[in-house]
Amino acid sequence: MLSAAHDILEKQESRNSTAAASAPGTERQEGNNNPNGSSPYDCSPVSTGVKAACHTARHAARHVARHTARHSGKQPCSELCPTRLQSHWAVLLADILPTLLIKLVAPFVVHKVPYGLRVLFCAFMAASSFLLVSFSSAMWMSILGKAARLLPWSGLREGVVFASVSSGLGELSFLSLTVFFSRTVLEGWGSGTGGAGVAGSFLYSSLIQGGLTPRVTLLIMLVVPLAMVVSYFGMLVPEHPLPQWRRADADRWAVGWEERQSLTQGAEQEEPEETSGPAEDGPGGALSFSERLHVIRGLLRFVLPLGLVYFAEYFINQGLMEILFFHNFFLSHAEQYRWYQCLYQIGVFLSRSSLRWIKIRRIWALALLQVVNAVFLLLAARYQFLPSAWLVFAIILYEGLLGGAAYVNTFHFISKETDSRHREFAMAAASVGDSLGIALAGLAAFPTHGYFCSL
């Protein structure tokens, strides 16, 4: 979604720039700090097809600084048109803030909304986001006319907001939903979310490179929210009764389950293997506000390292990845960036699919390793001491492995170590960790990227 928004946004900006350049009295600007007419970090934009290639659809890397080359020279970041920077910054905020706000607030109130209604709402918001973004350059331009040129993100921002709402609410809802199944369902959840980043982005990139416009591609992608609804209501078979349409039904079942559990508590002393059969614990009833705060305090040991992992991870993706360019390499800048994104997504997919074989309890260790990655690549970007892109390829793959492992192991151990009555809320509340890290990374990456481009 974010890739499509950027594609359409750059087309609008290109039209506006062309119109401005042809207007009488318009002078050509060619300020450069580099005598060769380009930044030493090659801050020219990577093509939109590359941005889409292997770029995660749910949590896609939020690349703010996609700068447009002017005429024959490349304009440094410090001299870019403020309107263009503001429009990209608006898209970034529209993508990050709704998800973050939902994950901060929803865990305290969303339990009142049955899961069936949540899934329908998420599907509706996702479909609306596809439609808003796909028709933004046509519908909004025709309605607003010349005034739309003052708002190059009209329709795009709203569409990205809708996608962000669907993503944030959907993630915390499906994580909460895992308590109604065997704990092994987290293995499938981790693998599915990792694969979605590869499959969704590759599909978008393939359709674009096949000659379709972003608008047509997004309309084709409307099959995704439809498939979500069909798979949820037609294929999902929960092991415990869940609040599909009425929350009270599951609450009554939870009370009865707790009574039955207390009567049979001493029947089995050992819990069966978590990788076979349904989980012994079922979901609990409603929690008080003080109980929820108590659960959150216990979750900090998971949420803080997860947030740190994602901060370092997305600082690399948003602030450093595009400027790690090697001139004397058989791949172009665009092709190198494409492989960075592909290898990152492949790493995430592999590590999120590894829970059945490898479980890592020390999430802090993964966080520290990811910070080392970010610091090393920051120094490499500044002093340019790496001899080849092959080393960056290996580091980016390793970055994805660390990020995916941190995500899936965090929620595995939350599910395993949280009391059954608190588990549904805990899974939803802990999902704020990755979004908070991504938001803070965006704030840090934007000026960092601009600093390098201004050198």
Side-chain angles (χ1 to χ4, degrees):
M1 172 56 64
L2 198 60
S3 296
H6 276 301
D7 288 351
I8 295 175
L9 178 60
E10 289 205 353
K11 284 188 176 182
Q12 293 179 9
E13 290 174 345
S14 178
R15 287 196 297 266
N16 293 342
S17 298
T18 302
S22 61
T26 301
E27 296 183 0
R28 176 176 170 179
Q29 291 182 335
E30 289 190 64
N32 259 310
N33 296 338
N34 189 297
N36 295 327
S38 64
S39 166
Y41 291 95
D42 194 2
C43 293
S44 59
V46 178
S47 66
T48 56
V50 174
K51 284 287 184 184
C54 292
H55 201 289
T56 175
R58 191 212 45 87
H59 331 122
R62 279 77 173 178
H63 300 283
V64 181
R66 300 195 57 190
H67 307 129
T68 303
R70 284 198 159 202
H71 304 286
S72 61
K74 297 172 184 173
Q75 192 176 6
C77 298
S78 60
E79 298 176 3
L80 287 173
C81 173
T83 302
R84 181 175 294 115
L85 290 178
Q86 291 170 3
S87 62
H88 284 293
W89 185 243
V91 172
L92 173 74
L93 294 180
D95 181 56
I96 293 177
L97 291 184
T99 292
L100 180 60
L101 292 176
I102 285 175
K103 289 185 177 182
L104 285 171
V105 176
F108 293 93
V109 296
V110 77
H111 63 280
K112 300 180 182 296
V113 182
Y115 283 101
L117 295 180
R118 291 193 226 175
V119 171
L120 290 178
F121 178 76
C122 289
F124 171 78
M125 295 296 284
S128 299
S129 70
F130 287 133
L131 293 172
L132 278 170
V133 173
S134 62
F135 288 111
S136 61
S137 61
M139 179 178 63
W140 285 92
M141 285 294 185
S142 63
I143 292 176
L144 300 178
K146 293 182 179 180
R149 292 181 180 176
L150 300 177
L151 301 172
W153 36 259
S154 293
L156 293 175
R157 182 181 61 183
E158 291 80 358
V160 174
V161 167
F162 279 29
S164 182
V165 169
S166 176
S167 174
L169 181 61
E171 182 182 7
L172 69 87
S173 295
F174 282 109
L175 281 170
S176 298
L177 196 63
T178 61
V179 306
F180 296 93
F181 299 84
S182 166
R183 288 194 191 122
T184 57
V185 76
L186 281 172
E187 299 172 6
W189 166 261
S191 183
T193 53
V198 178
S201 304
F202 178 77
L203 177 60
Y204 175 81
S205 178
S206 299
L207 293 174
I208 290 295
Q209 294 180 0
L212 297 181
T213 64
R215 181 179 301 113
V216 173
T217 300
L218 285 179
L219 293 178
I220 293 175
M221 297 290 281
L222 283 170
V223 70
V224 174
L226 176 62
M228 182 176 71
V229 172
V230 171
S231 61
Y232 177 82
F233 291 105
M235 300 174 60
L236 209 59
V237 182
E239 297 182 2
H240 301 294
L242 60 86
Q244 191 72 278
W245 302 113
R246 292 187 303 173
R247 182 76 201 186
D249 293 342
D251 289 343
R252 285 195 297 269
W253 178 86
V255 173
W257 178 87
E258 289 175 351
E259 293 175 352
R260 293 193 300 273
Q261 186 74 359
S262 62
L263 294 175
T264 60
Q265 188 173 6
E268 295 185 6
Q269 297 297 325
E270 295 184 0
E271 186 181 27
E273 288 293 327
E274 60 192 62
T275 57
S276 60
E280 287 294 309
D281 296 330
L287 304 177
S288 66
F289 183 76
S290 60
E291 284 180 301
R292 294 176 190 274
L293 293 180
H294 176 74
V295 172
I296 289 176
R297 285 194 293 269
L299 290 176
L300 291 179
R301 59 197 172 106
F302 296 106
V303 173
L304 293 180
L306 179 64
L308 183 58
V309 168
Y310 271 79
F311 172 82
E313 185 174 331
Y314 277 80
F315 178 77
I316 295 172
N317 294 351
Q318 297 169 175
L320 303 178
M321 194 177 287
E322 191 174 356
I323 60 178
L324 289 168
F325 166 56
F326 294 84
H327 293 270
N328 298 320
F329 198 70
F330 70 95
L331 297 176
S332 67
H333 188 186
E335 291 168 336
Q336 289 177 45
Y337 184 85
R338 176 183 300 170
W339 278 105
Y340 292 159
Q341 287 293 335
C342 285
L343 290 171
Y344 165 75
Q345 293 295 345
I346 290 171
V348 170
F349 171 65
L350 291 176
S351 57
R352 288 195 182 190
S353 304
S354 66
L355 187 60
R356 178 178 293 271
W357 302 281
I358 301 174
K359 296 177 177 63
I360 303 172
R361 177 64 179 80
R362 300 182 183 277
I363 309 299
W364 274 110
L366 299 176
L368 293 176
L369 290 173
Q370 196 72 291
V371 170
V372 170
N373 265 354
V375 173
F376 179 80
L377 290 178
L378 178 64
L379 295 175
R382 178 63 183 89
Y383 297 105
Q384 301 183 1
F385 56 78
L386 292 179
S388 172
W390 292 110
L391 292 176
V392 182
F393 289 160
I395 295 172
I396 295 299
L397 177 64
Y398 175 56
E399 173 206 347
L401 290 172
L402 290 177
Y407 182 90
V408 72
N409 281 280
T410 292
F411 289 104
H412 168 75
F413 284 102
I414 289 175
S415 176
K416 182 179 179 180
E417 299 178 11
T418 305
D419 182 76
S420 60
R421 188 166 181 269
H422 302 153
R423 190 173 298 139
E424 185 179 4
F425 170 76
M427 295 294 280
S431 67
V432 74
D434 59 345
S435 295
L436 184 60
I438 292 170
L440 295 177
L443 294 176
F446 186 75
T448 301
H449 189 283
Y451 165 76
F452 281 116
C453 292
S454 66
L455 293 177

